[in-house]
Amino acid sequence: MYKEPEVTSLINLHTSRANATVLLANSKLVRNAYAKIWGFIDSGSITELAGTMIMFDFSDLKAEVDQYISDLDELRLKSENKKLQLKGDQIEEELLKLTNIISQCQEISLYYNMLKSEISEIELDFENAVRRYYRSPMRQGLNDISIIYNSMKNIKGPMGDFEEVSVYIHGIESNGNEFLESAKKASVEGDVIVHVKRNGKKEYYVVKMNEYGEKEVLALDDFQSLQKEDAFKYPEGRIHLVYDTEQSNEHRQETSDDLTRLLSEMGLINKTTKLNLFGHSYGGRRSMQFAMDYPDYVQSITTIGTPYDKNKLAKMGNSLPYVAEKIGQDPRQFTDFLDFNPENKREDNGILHSNVYTDLSKEEMKEDLQNLKSANPEVYTKLEKMNIIASAGYRMETVYYEGGSMEVKTESDDVVSLESQNANNLESLIDERPQYEVEGVSTIKNPGHGNEIKDEEFIELIRQVNTDK
C-alpha cells in the first residue's frame, strides 16, 4: 500500500518503537498481535523473540499505542489545516496529497485501535491464566487464612518442631501402602513415620536401633504414644509423611488443597520447616502442583514414573471408561473438583467434574508451567531454584533372533515413556534425570510401572535427597 512520505516516516518511527517494545515484553502473544497489525499496515516487520523472561505491563502497552494514534491525529490535523489554507496554481496536486495523508492516518488509526483490542484480549487471557492456575478459590482461601493466622499467632501445631519433612504422594488408582515400605527403608534412627490413610486415620511409627545395632521401625498405638517417644520430644530426626489422597483418582489441585490443609493442621507449614516431596506416577504431578501453590515451603521435588506429558493410556481410559473398568480402573470416579479449563473435565450422570484421567488426557505439565510463568514469574523463579529430579523406570526385555537372544532396554516402564518420565519438555527446570531398571513381571494388571518405588536404587535416591541440605 503506497503511503505519502510524511506518513511513511511516522510509521517507520512507530515500527522501530514497536520492535523495541516487543523485545522488552518478550511475550509471543504480544509479538503476534503486533505482527498481525503490521501485516495490515504493510510497513516493516516485527522482530522474532529469543529470550525466556516475560516483562511488561498492559497499561504501558496500551499507552504506547495511544501515543501512535496521537501522532497520527497530529499529522492529520496539520494536513486538514493546510487544506483550508491552499492557494495558487498547485492547489489540485497539493489537495490530493493532503487528502491521501488524512485518509491514510485515519485508516492506520483504525489498525492501531485493533491492536489495542488485541492487547486487551491478551490481558484477559493472562487473567484467565491466573485463574486457570488450578487453585480452587474457597479451599485455597481457607488454607491461606489458616497459614497466615498460625504465623501471626505463632501457633506451631502438634508437629511444628520438626524442621525436616518428607512427603510421599502416590499415583493413579493407588494408595500409600507401597510408599510406606519405601519410606521405612529410607528412614534412619530418630525418624518418625506418619501414614495418613484415606479414611482420615493416622498410623504412627518410630525408627530405633535395637540392641544388636539393627534398625527397627516400631508401630505405635496412637499419637499419645508417639508423644512419649524421645524422637518426638527431642525432634532431631525427620518426619516421613505418607499421604493417601481422599480419593484415588482426584485431580492434582484437589490433592494440593487437601494436603495443604493437613500439613497446616499438623504444624508442618511454617517459616522453618522445608518439605521434600516424593511422587510416584501421577503423584509427581500432584507434588508439582503443591510446589506451584506453595513454593516457599518446598525444598525439593523427586518423581519416579511421572507422566509429565499427556498419557495415551489415561486418554484411552477417559474416552473408553467401560474398557478400563473391566480391569478394575475407575475413570468415572467423581470428585468435587472442576477444572477451569473447559477441556479438562468429563460428564458422568449429568455432573461435570475433573479427575486424574481428564488431566492426563488433556494437559501437559508444560502448559501449566508456561501459564504460571506468564501469570506469576516470581513463583516460576522459585521453582527454578528448587532441586527437581524427574527419574524414570525402564525394563529390560529379552529379544530373540535366529541363533540367539539379547537384552534390550525398553523405552518405557510399560505405562509411561522415558521421555515423559524424565520431563524432557520442561528442559532446564529439571535438575537431574536418572533412569533405573525396574525388576519384576510385566502384565496389564501388574506393569513394571508399579514396581518403581520398591526399587533399591530409587530408595537410595530418597536417602540422598533427604540428607541434602
Side-chain angles (χ1 to χ4, degrees), residues 458-469:
F458 180 66
I459 292 170
E460 179 57 32
L461 177 61
I462 294 175
R463 294 190 188 103
Q464 292 174 9
V465 171
N466 282 339
T467 54
D468 287 342
K469 303 296 182 183

Side-chain angles (χ1 to χ4, degrees), residues 222-239:
D222 48 34
F223 182 65
Q224 287 71 30
S225 300
L226 175 63
Q227 289 178 301
K228 299 174 183 177
E229 296 287 339
D230 287 346
F232 182 86
K233 292 188 289 185
Y234 313 106
E236 296 182 358
R238 171 179 296 273
I239 288 183

Side-chain angles (χ1 to χ4, degrees), residues 53-100:
M53 185 61 71
I54 297 174
M55 298 177 64
F56 65 91
D57 184 289
F58 285 105
S59 59
D60 291 343
L61 293 180
K62 292 176 183 177
E64 179 169 322
V65 179
D66 281 336
Q67 183 59 54
Y68 298 165
I69 295 171
S70 177
D71 292 342
L72 289 168
D73 286 343
E74 184 178 347
L75 178 58
R76 176 180 58 78
L77 289 171
K78 285 182 179 178
S79 300
E80 288 176 347
N81 288 332
K82 283 184 178 180
K83 279 181 66 175
L84 297 174
Q85 300 170 9
L86 283 177
K87 294 179 182 179
D89 297 336
Q90 295 183 333
I91 185 171
E92 186 174 340
E93 181 180 343
E94 186 69 14
L95 178 63
L96 177 61
K97 178 178 180 177
L98 291 172
T99 300
N100 285 340

Side-chain angles (χ1 to χ4, degrees), residues 167-176 178-179 182 243 245 248 277-288 301-308 391-393 413 415-416 421 438 447-455 458 462:
V167 181
Y168 304 84
I169 308 174
H170 63 81
I172 187 171
E173 301 283 359
S174 186
N175 55 41
E178 291 178 341
F179 244 146
S182 299
Y243 178 67
T245 60
S248 61
L277 305 180
F278 297 92
H280 174 234
S281 189
Y282 190 77
R285 282 189 177 229
R286 289 166 166 159
S287 300
M288 185 69 77
I301 307 170
T302 304
T303 64
I304 180 75
T306 292
Y308 282 94
S391 54
D413 60 0
V415 175
V416 187
Q421 293 182 67
V438 181
H449 180 80
N451 299 316
E452 289 161 340
I453 51 179
K454 306 173 189 175
D455 189 89
F458 180 66
I462 294 175

Side-chain angles (χ1 to χ4, degrees), residues 7-19 38 68 71:
V7 177
T8 298
S9 176
L10 187 56
I11 300 307
N12 286 343
L13 176 62
H14 291 172
T15 302
S16 177
R17 290 178 182 173
N19 276 314
W38 253 252
Y68 298 165
D71 292 342

Side-chain angles (χ1 to χ4, degrees), residues 302-316:
T302 304
T303 64
I304 180 75
T306 292
Y308 282 94
D309 304 330
K310 296 177 185 177
N311 185 262
K312 292 180 180 178
L313 289 177
K315 183 177 181 180
M316 185 184 301

